[in-house]
Amino acid sequence: MSLARLALIGSGAIANTLSMALEQGREPLRVGAVLVRAGSRSTLPGVKVCVRTADLIEWLPTLVAECAGHDAVREVVPDLLAAGIDVVIASVGALCDSRARDKLSRACAVGRSRLLYATGAVGGLDALRAARLGGLDSVTYIGRKPPRAWPRSVEIESLQQTASREAVVLFEGSAGEAARRYPQNANVAAAIALAGVGFDATRVRLVADPELRRNVHEIHACGAFGELEIRITNEPLAGNPKTSFLAALSLEELIRERLGRA
Ligand SMILES: NC(=O)c1ccc[n+]([C@@H]2O[C@H](COP(=O)([O-])OP(=O)(O)OC[C@H]3O[C@@H](n4cnc5c(N)ncnc54)[C@H](O)[C@@H]3O)[C@@H](O)[C@H]2O)c1
C-alpha cells in the first residue's frame, strides 16, 4: 500500500467507485481523507472525514481529487492550491467561468501547486490538442443519454409521461453555456473546449434519447490536420446515471500516474 496521502472532495458515485478501484490491483492506493459538506456523511469506510477545507489542509494531503461538483472547484480547490496541494478535478465545467480560472491560476502561483483535469468520459483529447497546433476549423461535441440521466425539465417529463421513443434535443449552443446550464452533464464539453477551440467556439448538442441505455459521447473536429471523429459508448455508474464509468476510471488513471502507482 502506498504512503501517499490521498484525499477526495465529495462522497458520491465517482468517489465510491474510485476509492474501491484504487484499493485493487497490483499497486493499491488508499484514500485517507474525504471532505464532505457540513451535515453530510461519508460513505467511504475508515477514512478521516473533514467538513472544513482547513481540516483537510491540516491533514497534509499529497494529492486531492475533486469528485463533488462545480461549487467545490470554485470554493474549495483554490484554498488547497494556495496551500501548496496539487488537485485533480472531475468537474471541469467549472472552468468555463474566466473568473474561476483566474482565481485558480493565482492560487497555483501562490502555492506553487498544480491543477490537473481528468479527461473524464471521453478520449482523444491528445489528438485534439495536437490538431489545434495546425489550426482547427470546427469542433462539435454531441452528448446523448437516456432521459433519466438528464436533470428534470419540461422536455424530460413530457418524454417520460408520453412514453415517446423519439430523441429530443435539449440544448444546442456553446460549450460555455452547456457547462453552465448542465453542470453535472456537460463536463465532457468543457474538457473538449479546453483541448480544442475554447468555450465559445466549441459547438455542443445535448440529446435525451429514450432508445439508449448507455451514455454516448461524440467529438467531430476538422482543420488543417484533416478530420477527427470519436464516439464512445459509456456504461453509467450504478450510483448516478448522469456519470459514466469511464469518468471514474480516468480519475483513477490520472491519480495513479501522478502518484507513481500506475
Ligand atoms: N469529467 C467528466 O467526464 C465528469 C463525468 C461525470 C461527473 N463529473 C463531475 O463529477 C462530479 C461528481 O460526480 P458524481 O457522479 O460522483 O456525483 P454525485 O452526485 O454522485 O456525488 C457528488 C458528491 O459530492 C458532494 N459535494 C457536492 N459539493 C460539495 C462540496 N462543495 N464539498 C464537499 N462535497 C460536495 C455531494 O454531497 C455528493 O456526495 C459531478 O458533479 C460532475 O461535476 C465529471
Side-chain angles (χ1 to χ4, degrees):
M1 204 57 92
S2 165
L3 296 177
R5 293 172 72 79
L6 174 64
L8 303 183
I9 309 171
S11 177
I14 291 185
N16 281 291
T17 304
L18 179 63
S19 65
M20 275 193 286
L22 286 166
E23 287 199 27
Q24 290 161 9
R26 271 191 309 120
E27 298 281 357
L29 267 167
R30 194 158 198 292
V31 173
V34 62
L35 179 71
V36 299
R37 276 191 163 133
S40 299
R41 286 196 183 165
S42 162
T43 48
L44 308 179
V47 300
K48 177 181 169 61
V49 179
C50 307
V51 288
R52 296 182 322 137
T53 311
D55 297 335
L56 181 56
I57 292 171
E58 268 177 32
W59 186 75
L60 298 177
T62 318
L63 183 70
V64 174
E66 173 279 323
C67 17
H70 289 199
D71 287 358
V73 175
R74 284 191 293 261
E75 290 158 21
V76 177
V77 173
D79 290 345
L80 298 173
L81 293 168
I85 300 161
D86 290 347
V87 183
V88 168
I89 61 167
S91 302
V92 191
L95 304 182
C96 71
D97 174 6
S98 62
R99 277 169 310 178
R101 285 202 299 277
D102 290 347
K103 189 174 172 186
L104 290 160
S105 307
R106 283 196 302 275
C108 286
V110 168
R112 294 170 181 251
S113 52
R114 286 193 70 191
L115 175 74
L116 300 126
Y117 67 87
T119 52
V122 277
L125 301 189
D126 52 346
L128 203 53
R129 274 192 293 272
R132 176 172 63 184
L133 297 175
L136 281 163
D137 298 327
S138 73
V139 180
T140 302
Y141 162 67
I142 304 171
R144 293 192 285 126
K145 297 182 182 180
R148 71 192 181 100
W150 294 103
R152 284 183 69 175
S153 66
V154 175
E155 293 97 325
I156 295 297
E157 280 183 15
S158 150
L159 268 181
Q160 286 166 337
Q161 278 162 13
T162 59
S164 162
R165 306 312 295 164
E166 292 282 314
V168 171
V169 176
L170 299 174
F171 173 86
E172 271 194 296
S174 70
E177 190 56 22
R180 275 184 282 278
R181 282 180 46 184
Y182 292 87
Q184 291 177 294
N185 290 87
N187 289 288
V188 163
I192 294 166
L194 289 167
V197 292
F199 284 98
D200 292 335
T202 305
R203 299 287 93 199
V204 173
R205 190 186 313 151
L206 302 177
V207 181
D209 187 342
E211 294 292 337
L212 290 178
R213 186 185 66 77
R214 297 182 291 183
N215 301 336
V216 181
H217 302 280
E218 285 175 30
I219 309 173
H220 303 265
C222 62
F225 75 99
E227 285 179 28
L228 173 147
E229 306 235 326
I230 292 174
R231 178 191 160 102
I232 299 189
T233 302
N234 278 317
E235 290 291 341
L237 284 183
N240 186 354
K242 296 183 180 71
T243 295
S244 302
F245 182 29
L246 191 63
L249 292 172
S250 91
L251 276 176
E252 180 188 354
E253 196 275 332
L254 186 51
I255 291 166
R256 286 188 179 283
E257 192 261 322
R258 291 297 300 166
L259 296 179
R261 312 292 292 180

